[in-house]
Amino acid sequence: MNALISLGNAYARIFTPSSLLLMAAGVIVGIIFGSIPGLSASMAVALFLPLTFSMSPSMGMNMLVAVYIGGISGGLISAILLNMPGTASSIATCFDGHPMAKNGEAGKALGYGIVFSFLGSVFSFIVLTFCAPLLADIALKFTPAENFGISFFALTMVAVLASGSMLKGVLAGMLGLIFSLVGMAPIDGTARFTFGSSSLMAGYDTLPTLIGIFAISEILITAESMGHGKMETIKMKPIKGFGFTWKEFVYQIPNAIRSALIGTGIGILPGIGGSTSGMLAYVTAKNMSKHPEEFGKGCPDGIVATETANNATIGGAMIPLLVLGIPGDGVTAMMLGGFLIHGLSAGPLLFVKNADVVYGIFAACMICITLMLLIEFFGIKVFVQLLKIPKHILMPLILVLCCVGAYATNNRIFDVQSILLFGLVGYLYHKFRLPTTPFVLCFLIGKMLETYLRRGIMQYKSFGAFFQRPIFDAFFFVAIGVVVWSVYKEYKMYLIKKAGKATEQS
């Protein structure tokens, strides 16, 4: 009851024209940063941090929340329209979003992404408002062993993603793991695969890698198509509302609820992030679907799963930040800096000393996601026009923005070189018909997996001690079960194909 009263007071305080205008501006800037490949939500928050100096603590934090929400949601625009994720959280949105756009359903794909981004955010912010302390206590029980179990489970999802061509999927994933090992080893700092180059000591950064794999490779593929005169013209279907019917919306509700739970749960665990939750939700949706063969060809289920999960991660990541003072991801680490700038100490005492700021953030979250829904809804028809820009004009502009974004990540020219390297890798994957999804998943999870394994062994002295942790056991044995089942399905498909060929020959 006290929480509802505090929340009501917070709405009354921030529901002013100046406050709404600032939050709307923050959401718009976040969407712009999120939708441009190479820029990101964390970059937008970092740039806006100095602008909050002169604001009150409550207003300053609300502004940062608005930029954060807009940045994560904005990634779906370029992912669907250009096959280039604007943020790491929208990687899996490319898999079905862009095929839908190529089929003339760009408006419908954007509609699904916008609506379920909103619903994922609503779910996680309700959880954040009423269950934050309880969930933070659960998160504290996760040791490196449990985090290793989750990472191992996520890694075995390669088996699901590679269904239909297990050998190619495993090969693609192994290359991703190899690239994730480059640089200083976690814990002991041993240099690996650096070949004497100081630039490789820090390894390959996530954002430049993803820009290369998706954006640069897409530019190379498009340039090749233009060179051969094979450029396809996309006929866009008329858009009405969000582009989908009420029946289609109701059909997606179970998928959305499952994905929201995954996103919120992953967000609560520090250091894992929206990219992992989006991939896990996508793979889970594919595994639970009655028509998994449609995924990757323009299936709305994939967009719903990814966008619900990655936006639900926002509220989840705010829980350890506000309750424990532990950032859940890179953006909340920036926001922790915002707390320090305004003389606030994130953690248990924040609810006691600055309850008005906390409930102001809760109220701002709900207002900002509503603003996000309205801004993106009225922008759908404008966004779709991006597909009408001639490729010979659009692609060079995107290449420049990718290079600028890669350089701005760490102010290193090496990151610009990295996007070209991974662009070539992505292009070769396309030519040899290797799936990029296992590569991306293994690259994202590889370093995390090794770090938690080594931390866990240091803490428990042996890997065998992990099996005394029930949560680890659950994730580990489910992961083994997923691999066994995927191999069995692959073998069964092989036998069916073999029998079919024998019948044709006879």
Side-chain angles (χ1 to χ4, degrees):
M1 192 65 182
N2 290 335
L4 288 173
I5 293 169
S6 300
L7 196 60
N9 293 335
Y11 275 113
R13 281 195 308 274
I14 66 173
F15 226 93
T16 61
S18 60
S19 179
L20 290 173
L21 192 62
L22 276 173
M23 285 190 283
V27 170
I28 291 169
V29 170
I31 290 171
I32 292 169
F33 268 76
S35 61
I36 296 175
L39 305 183
S40 63
S42 56
M43 196 179 296
V45 171
L47 289 173
F48 263 68
L49 205 53
L51 300 181
T52 66
F53 287 174
S54 58
M55 299 179 187
S56 66
S58 182
M59 183 58 69
M61 295 312 300
N62 293 351
M63 184 75 166
L64 295 180
V65 165
V67 175
Y68 182 16
I69 289 169
I72 296 298
S73 179
L76 68 90
I77 297 169
S78 56
I80 290 170
L81 299 179
L82 303 172
N83 199 28
M84 301 173 185
T87 62
S89 299
S90 297
I91 297 165
T93 308
C94 295
F95 304 153
D96 286 287
H98 191 61
M100 281 188 73
K102 288 170 75 174
N103 294 336
E105 296 184 312
K108 186 174 184 178
L110 286 168
Y112 271 116
I114 291 165
V115 169
F116 286 95
S117 290
F118 171 76
L119 294 178
S121 299
V122 168
F123 178 88
S124 70
F125 291 138
I126 291 172
V127 172
L128 170 66
T129 304
F130 297 104
C131 308
L134 175 64
L135 292 172
D137 288 340
I138 295 171
L140 281 175
K141 294 178 182 177
F142 275 67
T143 67
E146 283 77 16
N147 287 331
F148 172 76
I150 293 173
S151 302
F152 180 72
F153 172 73
L155 194 67
T156 57
M157 291 296 106
V158 169
V160 178
L161 291 170
S163 59
S165 181
M166 188 73 74
L167 187 60
K168 284 186 176 181
V170 171
L171 178 63
M174 289 297 291
L175 191 58
L177 275 178
I178 291 169
F179 276 108
S180 75
L181 295 173
V182 174
M184 304 283 280
I187 313 299
D188 61 15
T190 304
R192 301 179 304 194
F193 307 111
T194 58
F195 306 103
S197 170
S198 58
S199 299
L200 285 170
M201 296 292 276
Y204 293 106
D205 194 87
T206 302
L207 189 60
T209 303
L210 298 180
I211 292 171
I213 285 288
F214 289 101
I216 305 300
S217 64
E218 186 69 19
I219 290 169
L220 292 173
I221 293 163
T222 303
E224 184 184 34
S225 299
M226 289 175 68
H228 292 133
K230 296 179 182 176
M231 278 306 299
E232 55 187 14
T233 54
I234 298 173
K235 294 181 180 179
M236 288 174 285
K237 297 176 183 177
I239 308 163
K240 184 179 179 182
F242 284 106
F244 54 86
T245 64
W246 175 253
K247 186 178 179 182
E248 288 172 319
F249 172 78
V250 171
Y251 173 77
Q252 294 294 345
I253 288 175
N255 183 12
I257 293 171
R258 182 176 61 243
S259 301
L261 288 168
I262 291 172
T264 306
I266 293 294
I268 293 167
L269 304 175
I272 297 183
S275 53
T276 306
S277 68
M279 294 287 282
L280 268 179
Y282 180 86
V283 174
T284 305
K286 183 178 180 181
N287 213 22
M288 300 286 287
S289 176
K290 295 177 182 177
H291 43 80
E293 70 284 349
E294 293 181 14
F295 278 70
K297 299 175 183 177
C299 180
D301 300 31
I303 300 173
V304 170
T306 307
E307 287 303 318
T308 306
N310 64 32
N311 282 268
T313 305
I314 300 173
M318 297 281 281
I319 291 172
L321 173 69
L322 295 174
V323 181
L324 304 172
I326 301 170
D329 58 13
V331 187
T332 48
M334 295 286 182
M335 293 184 69
L336 183 60
F339 279 108
L340 297 174
I341 285 168
H342 292 287
L344 305 172
S345 55
L349 291 177
L350 186 66
F351 285 77
V352 179
K353 293 182 177 179
N354 304 101
D356 57 327
V357 175
V358 175
Y359 283 98
I361 290 172
F362 293 164
C365 287
M366 296 303 292
I367 292 172
C368 289
I369 59 174
T370 305
L371 289 170
M372 173 201 77
L373 179 72
L374 293 172
I375 291 165
E376 292 185 339
F377 170 68
F378 289 111
I380 286 180
K381 292 183 180 180
V382 178
F383 301 149
V384 169
Q385 299 307 310
L386 191 65
L387 293 173
K388 293 184 178 179
I389 300 174
K391 296 289 185 182
H392 66 275
I393 296 173
L394 185 62
M395 290 303 164
L397 287 174
I398 291 171
L399 179 60
V400 170
L401 289 171
C402 288
C403 292
V404 170
Y407 179 77
T409 306
N410 298 303
N411 295 324
R412 297 189 306 170
I413 198 67
F414 173 74
D415 288 326
V416 180
Q417 296 165 347
S418 295
I419 68 170
L420 301 177
L421 167 66
F422 286 105
L424 184 60
V425 170
Y427 176 75
L428 291 174
Y429 267 49
H430 172 77
K431 298 301 286 184
F432 289 103
R433 300 184 183 278
L434 291 170
T436 55
T437 316
F439 176 94
V440 172
L441 181 61
C442 289
F443 180 82
L444 291 171
I445 299 296
K447 194 169 288 187
M448 202 185 303
L449 185 80
E450 183 187 7
T451 301
Y452 289 133
L453 174 63
R454 297 180 74 165
R455 283 181 185 170
I457 290 174
M458 285 178 67
Q459 182 173 342
Y460 296 111
K461 309 304 178 189
S462 72
F463 181 70
F466 283 29
F467 292 95
Q468 297 173 14
R469 312 282 302 179
I471 298 175
F472 167 80
D473 289 344
F475 278 108
F476 184 82
F477 288 112
V478 168
I480 297 297
V482 167
V483 173
V484 171
W485 174 248
S486 299
V487 171
Y488 169 73
K489 282 205 310 184
E490 190 81 8
Y491 180 67
K492 196 173 178 182
M493 285 172 62
Y494 168 74
L495 292 178
I496 292 169
K497 286 179 182 178
K498 191 176 179 181
K501 286 180 181 178
T503 305
E504 286 176 7
Q505 288 174 357
S506 61

